Amino acid sequence: MQYQFDFAALMPYWQDFLSGALTTIEITVFSVIIGLAIGIACAIARRSDVPLLRTVVGIYIEAVRNTPFIVQIFFIFFGLSSIGFRLPILAASVFAMVINVGAYTAEIIRAGMDSIHPSQIEAAEALGLSKLQIYRDIILLPAIERVYPALSSQFILMMLSTSICSQISAEELTGVANNIQSNTFRSLETYFVVALLYIAITYLMRAAFFGLGLIAFPRRRRLGLGV
């Protein structure tokens, strides 16, 4: 059986591919920024001296980490709409990803914070640093630096997970591809192009995280490290 490739049939849809790729990047950027903030807050809460706070955050993290992302996005988009709380498609996509990113990021950052030796905290207290200064300069920033490669990988994985948003008709890259292949009947060519675009976005994100790591963490720059 011979298959005749016909990429020319996809040329009229190049703007759709570009639009889908940009939507994927936009969803990822918003989700990463907000999810990182939530993750940091939850990591701090998990280490707090308030049992109720630790329990509530722990339930949130375990609930997210032990359920599929597609179930989470269906719950937010379809489940909440059944009780009158309906979100637009893109808002629901970002909301689901923020919740997911926040939970996984919290555990990664908490692991980094746990790796800080107690003697460093004791030395900071002996120097008279405030609790805010200790958390920011002695615990949080070094912790994020240590787990930065893991965080970067997690964010890239979440970018790839935006493809699941197509299940609620989000017009990201996979959703656009589904529409194009249904119009052209060129499934192999369509998803081949989509795969290349995902690879391009992945390498773009890796380069961005590498550069950000060199800027945010001078020690990594001196050692020639990035992501």
Side-chain angles (χ1 to χ4, degrees):
M1 180 178 178
Q2 293 183 340
Y3 183 84
Q4 298 295 324
F5 287 92
D6 182 16
F7 287 98
L10 304 181
M11 290 304 295
Y13 298 95
W14 71 269
Q15 288 184 319
D16 295 327
F17 281 117
L18 180 59
S19 176
L22 291 176
T23 300
T24 293
I25 294 173
E26 289 173 358
I27 292 175
T28 303
V29 169
F30 281 111
S31 301
V32 165
I33 293 174
I34 303 173
L36 178 60
I38 292 175
I40 292 173
C42 289
I44 294 174
R46 288 275 276 176
R47 290 167 49 89
S48 74
D49 297 326
V50 183
L52 179 61
L53 184 59
R54 291 201 308 269
T55 301
V56 171
V57 173
I59 291 173
Y60 153 64
I61 291 174
E62 291 303 313
V64 171
R65 295 177 69 206
N66 290 286
T67 53
F69 179 56
I70 193 169
V71 173
Q72 297 166 20
I73 197 169
F74 279 176
F75 176 82
I76 289 171
F77 187 69
F78 297 115
L80 295 183
S81 65
S82 65
I83 59 174
F85 189 70
R86 183 172 181 82
L87 291 172
I89 291 173
L90 287 181
S93 300
V94 172
F95 187 29
M97 289 193 63
V98 163
I99 291 175
N100 194 280
V101 171
Y104 281 94
T105 299
E107 286 299 277
I108 294 173
I109 294 177
R110 184 173 70 89
M113 295 169 75
D114 289 343
S115 70
I116 303 299
H117 199 279
S119 62
Q120 294 179 264
I121 301 174
E122 294 170 0
E125 292 173 343
L127 291 172
L129 271 66
S130 66
K131 288 187 177 181
L132 176 61
Q133 290 174 317
I134 292 174
Y135 240 110
R136 182 189 63 195
D137 300 325
I138 307 302
I139 300 177
L140 186 57
L141 291 180
I144 292 177
E145 181 178 0
R146 291 184 182 185
V147 300
Y148 186 70
L151 282 176
S152 302
S153 297
Q154 183 61 44
F155 295 152
I156 290 173
L157 285 174
M158 285 310 302
M159 182 277 293
L160 297 176
S161 295
T162 58
S163 59
I164 297 176
C165 298
S166 64
Q167 298 302 305
I168 60 171
S169 301
E171 291 294 322
E172 45 70 59
L173 190 53
T174 300
V176 167
N178 292 339
N179 295 333
I180 292 174
Q181 69 86 23
S182 65
N183 291 333
T184 62
F185 301 101
R186 310 303 299 187
S187 300
L188 183 59
E189 293 90 334
T190 298
Y191 291 112
F192 180 80
V193 171
V194 167
L196 292 179
L197 288 172
Y198 274 119
I199 292 172
I201 295 172
T202 297
Y203 275 95
L204 179 64
M205 289 184 64
R206 288 179 60 182
F209 283 126
F210 182 88
L212 183 60
L214 296 181
I215 294 172
F217 308 114
R219 190 174 68 88
R220 300 181 70 85
R221 184 167 63 248
R222 291 194 297 270
L223 295 176
L225 302 175
V227 175

